[in-house]
Amino acid sequence: MKSTSERREQTLAMIRKQGSVQVTDLAKWFDVSTVTIRNDLAFLEKQGIITRAYGGAFLNESNTAYPEHSFEDKSQLNPSVKSRIGKAAAELICDGDTIILDSGTTTNYIANCMSDLKEVIAMTNGLNIANTLMPAQGVEVIMLGGHLRRKSMSFYGSQAEKTLESYHFNKLFLGVDGFDLAKGITTHNEYEAQLNRRMCDVADEIIVVTDSSKFGRISLHKILEPGKVSKVITDQAIPEFYLEGLQQTGIDVILINVD
C-alpha cells in the first residue's frame, strides 16, 4: 500500500492530467476507503490546489489570471459555437414572452434569431443587442440606461438597477465570464455583477448561455450560485465533470453540436 504522501502526489498528478477525479474511482484505484480519499482531497484543497464538489474534485484555476477581453476581441472568439448557442436559446423564446438579454457577444446571437417572434418584450443593457433587435418588428425593445462601459458595450449603474425594480420577466438570458461549480457564476466587473444580480431577482427563469471554455474559470465578482440557474446552454466540449455536476444540481443542460 502506498504511503499517504505518495497517494496524494499521485492523486494530484491525476487531477492535473484529467482536470477532475471522482472519490469512488480513487478509492478503487488505491484500494482504500472513500473516507481516506476525502481526507486526501481535503488536504489538497487546503493547499489551494483543488476544489472539492459533487463526490470528487477538480483543479483549482482560481489563481490563474484570465484577462478581460474587449468587446471586439470577444466577437472573434468561438463565433460558430456562439451562433449555435444563440439559435438554441432563441428557440426557448415564445411569442408573448418578456425577456432580458444580458450584454455580450453570445446573447447578441440570440437577438440575431428573434426576427420572426411576435409580441415579445426584450429588455437589454447591451448597446449592440439593441441595435441587432432593430429589424425585429415583433419585438418591443427596452433599453436599460445608465453609464456606458465601452469595453463591453454595456450600460450599468444605479439608474439601470432602479429601472429593473419596476419590471418582471419570464426569462433572463445571462452571459458569463466564469462558471465554477463551487464558486458560482462570476464576471470581471463589479458594476456589471451588481446589475446581473438585479436581473436575476426579477426573472422567473435564469438561462445561462456560454461556450464550454468558461467552465472552470473564476472571475473576481460573483453573480449567482449555480443552484439558482434553471438552464445552461453550452457546447458538447464541456468537461464531463461539469456536465454531471450541473445535472446533479438539477440544472437542465442543453448541449449543442460543435462539429
Side-chain angles (χ1 to χ4, degrees):
M1 182 177 292
K2 297 182 183 299
S3 69
T4 299
S5 60
E6 288 175 333
R7 189 178 61 248
R8 289 174 177 174
E9 285 179 6
Q10 290 193 18
T11 297
L12 181 55
M14 292 172 68
I15 296 174
R16 282 177 170 155
K17 181 179 180 181
Q18 300 170 191
S20 64
V21 290
Q22 293 292 316
V23 169
T24 52
D25 293 340
L26 289 175
K28 291 178 183 178
W29 178 262
F30 292 115
D31 193 23
V32 295
S33 70
T34 56
V35 174
T36 297
I37 295 300
R38 289 191 179 95
N39 288 337
D40 289 345
L41 297 179
F43 173 82
L44 294 173
E45 186 175 47
K46 286 181 180 178
Q47 310 307 307
I49 303 171
I50 67 166
T51 297
R52 291 183 294 163
Y54 304 105
F58 55 92
L59 193 63
N60 184 9
E61 297 181 321
S62 60
N63 294 323
T64 303
Y66 290 100
E68 181 183 12
H69 297 287
S70 67
F71 177 83
E72 291 76 14
D73 289 340
K74 285 182 178 179
S75 300
Q76 304 302 315
L77 297 172
N78 303 319
S80 62
V81 172
K82 291 178 180 179
S83 176
R84 295 181 188 186
I85 291 173
K87 182 178 179 182
E91 290 174 356
L92 299 178
I93 305 172
C94 304
D95 289 343
D97 266 349
T98 56
I99 69 170
I100 303 175
L101 290 177
D102 179 30
S103 62
T105 53
T106 304
T107 45
N108 194 54
Y109 282 107
I110 302 176
N112 269 323
C113 299
M114 292 175 57
S115 57
D116 294 330
L117 290 168
K118 299 176 182 177
E119 298 181 356
V120 169
I121 297 175
M123 176 177 279
T124 185
N125 65 320
L127 185 59
N128 60 313
I129 293 172
N131 287 331
T132 299
L133 287 172
M134 284 291 289
Q137 296 298 317
V139 180
E140 180 181 344
V141 181
I142 303 175
M143 186 75 203
L144 276 173
H147 299 277
L148 174 63
R149 186 167 184 258
R150 288 179 172 80
K151 189 166 189 176
S152 59
M153 295 290 285
S154 64
F155 288 91
Y156 69 92
S158 58
Q159 179 180 337
E161 293 173 32
K162 188 68 177 176
T163 299
L164 279 169
E165 294 177 4
S166 303
Y167 290 90
H168 170 263
F169 297 89
N170 302 132
K171 296 159 186 168
L172 161 63
F173 293 90
L174 183 65
V176 301
D177 290 321
F179 199 134
D180 182 90
L181 289 174
K183 301 296 192 298
I185 299 168
T186 56
T187 191
H188 286 94
N189 184 265
E190 176 183 2
Y191 301 110
E192 289 185 354
Q194 288 178 189
L195 182 59
N196 286 158
R197 287 194 288 271
R198 298 291 79 76
M199 290 177 176
C200 293
D201 290 341
V202 299
D204 290 333
E205 190 174 8
I206 301 168
I207 304 168
V208 171
V209 289
T210 179
D211 64 85
S212 59
S213 70
K214 304 297 177 58
F215 290 97
R217 294 187 177 187
I218 304 173
S219 295
L220 183 59
H221 300 284
K222 185 174 180 178
I223 299 172
L224 194 69
E225 298 287 348
K228 295 182 180 180
V229 174
S230 307
K231 292 183 176 67
V232 170
I233 307 177
T234 189
D235 58 88
Q236 290 181 328
I238 179 176
E240 187 67 24
F241 181 76
Y242 274 90
L243 177 59
E244 291 176 359
L246 293 172
Q247 292 171 336
Q248 289 175 21
T249 306
I251 298 172
D252 181 16
V253 183
I254 300 172
L255 297 179
I256 58 99
N257 251 322
V258 294
D259 300 328

